[in-house]
Amino acid sequence: MSEVYRDPSLSASERTIDLLSRMTIEEKVGQMCQLDLSHDPKIWIKERNIGSYLNVKWKDTQVLQKMALETRLGIPLIFGVDAVHGHCFHDGATVFPSQLAMSCSWNPELLEEVARITAREVIHTGFHWTFAPILCIGRDPRWGRISETFGEDPFLIGNLASAMVRGYQGKSLSDPESILACPKHFVAYGETIGGRDSAEAEVSRRKLRSIFLPPFKAVVDTGCDSIMAGYHSIDGTPCSANSWLLKDLLKKEWGFKGFVLTDWANINWLHEMQYIAPTLADAAEIALLAGNDMMMSTPEFYNIIIKMIKEGHIDEKVIDDACSRILNVKFRLGLFEQKGLLTSDSKVIGCLKHKKKALEAALQSLVLLKNDNDLLPLKENIGKIAVLGPNADNSIAQLGDWSFGKVLNWPPQDSDIVDGHKDNTVTILDGIKKRVKDPSSILYVKGCDVLNPEDQDIQKAVQAAMEANVAIVVVGDSYSLNGERKDRASLDLTGAQHKLLDSIKRTETPLIVVLINGKPLTIPWIAENADAILEAWNPGNEGGNAVAAVLFGDFNPSGKLTISFPRHIGQLPVYYNQMPGWHGGKYVDMDAEPLFPFGYGLSYTSFQYSNLRCSTTELQKHEVLTVSIDIKNTGNHEGTEIVQLYVNDKYSSVTTPIKELKGFSSVNLHPGEEKCVNLVLPISSLSLINSEGVECVEPGEFEILVGGSSRDNDLLKKSIFVH
Ligand code: NOJ
């Protein structure tokens, strides 16, 4: 083997140094570009050595890669795809529940397995890289991208995201079925004012370090090798132009060795939308010098930067560093050893084993919000059941954002979608029909549309409800009310959904509401009037089977909310980890309490918490505390309880949240059974960022709170003292 860089027995660093030494300026800058297929691959691969394509089709990955391998140095392309909750852009792939849904399982092991399966499906279609997980903190449900988040808590997000990174990347990037993860959007993208996508976030550096950076620090420590910067600005500086963020903090302070990717056309936006650069050339230079290594969808970057380097305006060392980071990852991923080049079609996409995991994920994602008089689980002999509502038989609403690759317009509307998952998706109606002994006992009427108030058939739905012994009404939102550029000013039910519910209520047939929605909605009427409420979010391909299993008691729900439900939009922000000091602590015309709080979720059984104790109450900063609690199943069903540990720093030099999640665990109990649950709390995790910006644990009293939700009434308390 003549060229050193082709020798797989050498380290990635040795191979990178050798390859870089052979490359022209043009080839280096080419590696830093990522485009979609609207840019001619003959030019971009053969003449410009582009580094990456995104969101192409399976067959294209094979053709394009072969083209790349035939170039002078044969540097392989890295193919990226938005495989956010499964490899969902690919027709027939396994669609898992949305990130928000799966976060309600509070189950890192499950998330790791889901990511592992996604990685298998991704690599078997020739892609090597997913733009996931999403670490944005969902604190304003008006924001269009809430369904992509793991909810509102930084500690939980850090845990679940790290699990997904482990799942995608496996034990080693070079494993045949490992892909590269790309946590995004760095950082505080969900915190833009008014829930407005990509607008300005008003966040201080202290707040960044306290709330928004910790989940990213967790995935960097786990070993992620790419990160996507956010579109938005923080305190006047767009993240893609923020050298403190990308260079000083991420690369130097945290020692991140991977590469930074801009978001789509983000360089262009610096010039055209954020107006911090008078020309596109200025924008390209700013982004490069700020620490971005690969540029998504700014083809102009190629000529601009080559010219600047050749004119001596930019030092070649800058592109050497960026290009080395990209090449190093390509070597470690095994791309030079033909990873992702397939010899035959594979049988892994959407296979039975993967579907089973999708069912497990959906079951654990469901959250029971109300169950008056134990209406659920339904009795086997319940008789006629009316299944009503616009989301009962709607695979597009059910699968949610990022599930469809073939969209024609932007932003896509439901009507634009070619539903390549329809045949392998079990809708709620399908699931219920399959579960009952006699499918003719199911009376289905859509009743109304999610969006269009004119399109309704409420009278027929009322007829069905009157004939039935129970009405299951499936309402919520739709694909076109979630996602990028789809922020909402109201979170009320749309179309004629409220009219439908009100009419069914009047029949006096017991009313079960199943919610299929990408985000919390303001549903005080439902909370008051429904007999039972099951939150299903976007539950994926197997959602219908999962919902039916819970409704009929084959599975006892155990999910807990990871995002608070406001009663009214004017209550926002309503997340649980609020700062203290609000005079009055409520609005004069409304409570501060959310409709359903973070951590809340019911079961068909009941759990009793007792005997909270700490291994010691006097600790030093380097010590680890063990918190123990006894939990008893006091009901009649076997069930799983998600136990939550919060901490309140009683007095500190700066204001700190009234409580913060610092630990969680699950316990499964048979009726009457009692177990002790131990939660480990390193005292170092009780740190705060002081007014000087320094992270430290301040001595004093900390309240330890353990229970089944973030609500004060659900928590037992004990104090510890740190010296
Ligand atoms: C823009 C989105 O913000 C980002 O999350 C996504 O990965 C890219 N587009 C690529 O589709």
Side-chain angles (χ1 to χ4, degrees):
M1 195 167 298
S2 51
E3 297 108 335
V4 169
Y5 74 91
R6 292 195 187 272
D7 182 352
S9 71
L10 296 176
S11 72
S13 312
E14 288 168 303
R15 298 174 80 183
T16 301
I17 292 168
D18 178 70
L19 178 53
L20 195 76
S21 71
R22 297 167 192 269
M23 291 170 75
T24 62
I25 292 171
E26 286 81 355
E27 284 164 336
K28 291 177 193 173
V29 179
Q31 283 301 305
M32 296 169 66
C33 295
Q34 180 187 62
L35 294 172
D36 68 356
L37 260 189
S38 60
H39 302 274
D40 187 353
K42 285 199 197 81
I43 296 173
W44 279 93
I45 296 178
K46 291 193 170 167
E47 295 171 22
R48 298 183 177 173
N49 290 277
I50 185 175
S52 175
Y53 271 100
L54 82 155
N55 293 348
V56 300
K57 292 197 194 89
W58 171 2
K59 301 282 183 234
D60 293 331
T61 61
Q62 307 301 296
V63 178
L64 300 177
Q65 192 66 299
K66 283 177 191 143
M67 222 188 257
L69 294 176
E70 283 161 12
T71 56
R72 187 178 80 89
L73 294 166
I75 306 174
L77 290 156
I78 179 167
F79 291 104
V81 62
D82 285 286
V84 170
H85 50 113
H87 188 22
C88 315
F89 272 9
H90 188 81
D91 290 353
T94 310
V95 182
F96 289 99
S98 63
Q99 267 200 204
L100 182 61
M102 288 194 288
S103 69
C104 295
S105 71
W106 297 56
N107 187 344
E109 290 78 26
L110 174 76
L111 274 283
E112 187 170 336
E113 290 173 62
V114 163
R116 199 78 209 115
I117 287 174
T118 304
R120 282 192 84 204
E121 296 202 6
V122 164
I123 199 76
H124 279 272
T125 51
F127 295 89
H128 319 106
W129 185 18
T130 177
F131 306 130
I134 290 89
L135 279 69
C136 304
I137 303 189
R139 310 215 303 177
D140 190 331
R142 289 172 294 181
W143 184 41
R145 305 189 68 171
I146 287 290
S147 74
E148 296 180 55
T149 74
F150 286 123
E152 71 191 32
D153 182 73
F155 177 79
L156 186 61
I157 294 172
N159 267 273
L160 300 181
S162 298
M164 286 202 98
V165 169
R166 284 196 300 274
Y168 290 131
Q169 300 198 167
K171 287 203 178 67
S172 157
L173 276 183
S174 63
D175 287 351
E177 292 190 337
S178 288
I179 59 168
L180 179 66
C182 185
K184 65 187 186 187
H185 310 78
F186 196 50
V187 61
Y189 180 43
E191 194 68 359
T192 52
I193 42 162
R196 297 174 191 171
D197 191 26
S198 305
E200 174 98 5
E202 289 170 357
V203 186
S204 68
R205 286 208 183 163
R206 207 180 72 76
K207 202 166 168 186
L208 275 183
R209 286 193 185 270
S210 308
I211 295 170
F212 299 97
L213 287 168
F216 281 96
K217 178 70 166 61
V219 288
V220 169
D221 290 347
T222 300
C224 76
D225 280 299
S226 77
I227 279 189
M228 189 188 294
Y231 281 127
H232 60 295
S233 327
I234 298 176
D235 198 18
T237 308
C239 291
S240 289
N242 191 333
S243 67
W244 170 78
L245 184 68
L246 305 182
K247 289 212 303 215
D248 299 349
L249 181 98
L250 177 65
K251 292 182 178 173
K252 291 199 191 112
E253 189 181 319
W254 290 1
F256 173 70
K257 297 278 179 280
F259 66 92
V260 177
L261 172 73
T262 72
D263 203 340
W264 180 278
N266 202 175
I267 293 181
N268 307 61
W269 302 156
L270 298 178
H271 164 56
E272 291 164 21
M273 283 216 286
Q274 289 161 317
Y275 309 115
I276 65 146
T279 66
L280 189 55
D282 293 316
E285 183 184 358
I286 290 171
L288 175 64
L289 297 182
N292 297 281
D293 304 301
M294 187 181 276
M295 320 297 159
M296 186 194 290
S297 291
T298 301
E300 300 87 348
F301 178 84
Y302 181 80
N303 283 327
I304 291 171
I305 296 300
I306 291 172
K307 184 163 178 277
M308 283 185 183
I309 293 174
K310 289 197 167 162
E311 286 171 355
H313 186 70
I314 289 181
D315 191 336
E316 195 174 340
K317 282 199 187 108
V318 180
I319 58 162
D320 283 353
D321 178 60
C323 190
S324 300
R325 286 171 179 270
I326 295 164
L327 294 176
N328 190 288
V329 171
K330 286 188 172 183
F331 281 119
R332 283 190 287 132
L333 260 172
L335 300 194
F336 286 78
E337 283 67 59
Q338 310 226 322
K339 182 155 161 178
L341 267 181
L342 313 172
T343 45
S344 63
D345 279 3
S346 109
K347 302 262 180 294
V348 303
I349 311 298
C351 67
L352 202 62
K353 188 172 155 220
H354 295 181
K355 282 226 177 98
K356 276 193 182 154
K357 193 52 74 182
L359 175 60
E360 195 185 327
L363 286 167
Q364 293 193 35
S365 301
L366 300 175
V367 187
L368 183 64
L369 297 175
K370 184 176 180 188
N371 191 18
D372 273 5
N373 306 316
D374 292 338
L375 175 60
L376 293 175
L378 293 172
K379 315 277 171 298
E380 292 295 336
N381 59 358
I382 180 84
K384 285 197 171 149
I385 302 175
V387 177
L388 314 169
N391 284 349
D393 193 27
N394 184 341
S395 57
I396 293 169
Q398 181 172 321
L399 300 186
D401 204 13
W402 295 108
S403 298
F404 309 94
K406 291 178 197 153
V407 286
L408 308 170
N409 298 316
W410 190 262
Q413 300 298 307
D414 292 11
S415 52
D416 298 328
I417 289 163
V418 181
D419 186 354
H421 298 294
K422 199 171 177 24
D423 294 343
N424 60 340
T425 296
V426 182
T427 66
I428 311 304
L429 176 65
D430 296 335
I432 294 172
K433 273 192 173 161
K434 270 170 66 185
R435 176 58 182 75
V436 293
K437 288 199 183 76
D438 173 14
S440 70
S441 64
I442 305 301
L443 312 173
Y444 168 65
V445 182
K446 181 178 170 193
C448 70
D449 186 72
V450 170
L451 294 171
N452 180 359
E454 310 304 321
D455 178 7
Q456 45 178 281
D457 210 351
I458 291 178
Q459 248 345 89
K460 262 199 185 156
V462 166
Q463 276 300 324
M466 285 189 341
E467 271 181 56
N469 298 321
V470 68
I472 301 172
V473 189
V474 190
V475 290
D477 60 23
S478 79
Y479 192 83
S480 42
L481 290 172
N482 286 284
E484 275 183 74
R485 300 164 191 234
K486 291 187 253 169
D487 313 318
R488 293 185 63 174
S490 158
L491 295 173
D492 291 345
L493 282 179
T494 47
Q497 295 187 95
H498 191 267
K499 193 170 163 203
L500 171 70
L501 285 164
D502 190 45
S503 309
I504 302 305
K505 174 75 185 169
R506 284 166 202 273
T507 65
E508 294 184 10
T509 302
L511 171 63
I512 298 168
V513 172
V514 175
L515 295 164
I516 296 279
N517 47 335
K519 54 169 62 180
L521 300 173
T522 41
I523 48 165
W525 186 94
I526 297 181
E528 175 84 30
N529 290 285
D531 298 289
I533 309 171
L534 183 64
E535 175 55 82
W537 305 114
N538 301 112
N541 284 149
E542 289 291 318
N545 284 333
V547 166
V550 165
L551 294 178
F552 286 94
D554 308 332
F555 183 85
N556 187 354
S558 57
K560 302 255 189 181
L561 293 180
T562 56
I563 188 163
S564 308
F565 272 57
R567 287 170 198 280
H568 185 278
I569 201 142
Q571 269 186 324
L572 296 177
V574 77
Y575 47 81
Y576 83 95
N577 45 352
Q578 300 273 321
M579 290 297 178
W582 182 10
H583 288 194
K586 65 190 274 299
Y587 294 101
V588 285
D589 52 358
M590 190 169 290
D591 266 2
E593 291 302 310
L595 188 62
F596 300 112
F598 176 84
Y600 171 84
L602 301 173
S603 160
Y604 292 150
T605 194
S606 48
F607 300 99
Q608 191 185 67
Y609 286 68
S610 66
N611 198 14
L612 172 64
R613 55 216 186 268
C614 295
S615 51
T616 170
T617 52
E618 309 285 329
L619 293 112
Q620 302 295 322
K621 291 174 192 171
H622 60 272
E623 285 185 81
V624 173
L625 176 74
T626 303
V627 177
S628 306
I629 191 146
D630 297 334
I631 300 171
K632 185 170 185 182
N633 182 340
T634 49
N636 300 322
H637 298 256
E638 180 186 348
T640 298
E641 170 73 339
I642 296 167
V643 185
Q644 302 153 43
L645 184 159
Y646 300 86
V647 173
N648 170 25
D649 189 346
K650 281 294 273 185
Y651 296 97
S652 39
S653 62
V654 287
T655 49
T656 53
I658 49 175
K659 54 176 88 87
E660 289 178 282
L661 184 76
K662 294 288 177 188
F664 59 92
S665 181
S666 290
V667 59
N668 186 270
L669 295 165
H670 288 99
E673 192 182 6
E674 185 169 38
K675 277 186 192 161
C676 166
V677 171
N678 295 315
L679 296 146
V680 171
L681 182 71
I683 297 305
S684 57
S685 74
L686 305 184
S687 63
L688 53 73
I689 309 295
N690 70 18
S691 55
E692 308 295 313
V694 176
E695 182 169 6
C696 56
V697 178
E698 292 186 346
E701 180 180 357
F702 291 81
E703 241 173 15
I704 306 292
L705 307 108
V706 182
S709 93
S710 65
R711 211 164 43 183
D712 281 339
N713 285 349
D714 293 335
L715 295 164
L716 297 180
K717 287 185 196 168
K718 190 126 216 143
S719 282
I720 59 157
F721 298 86
V722 176
H723 301 284

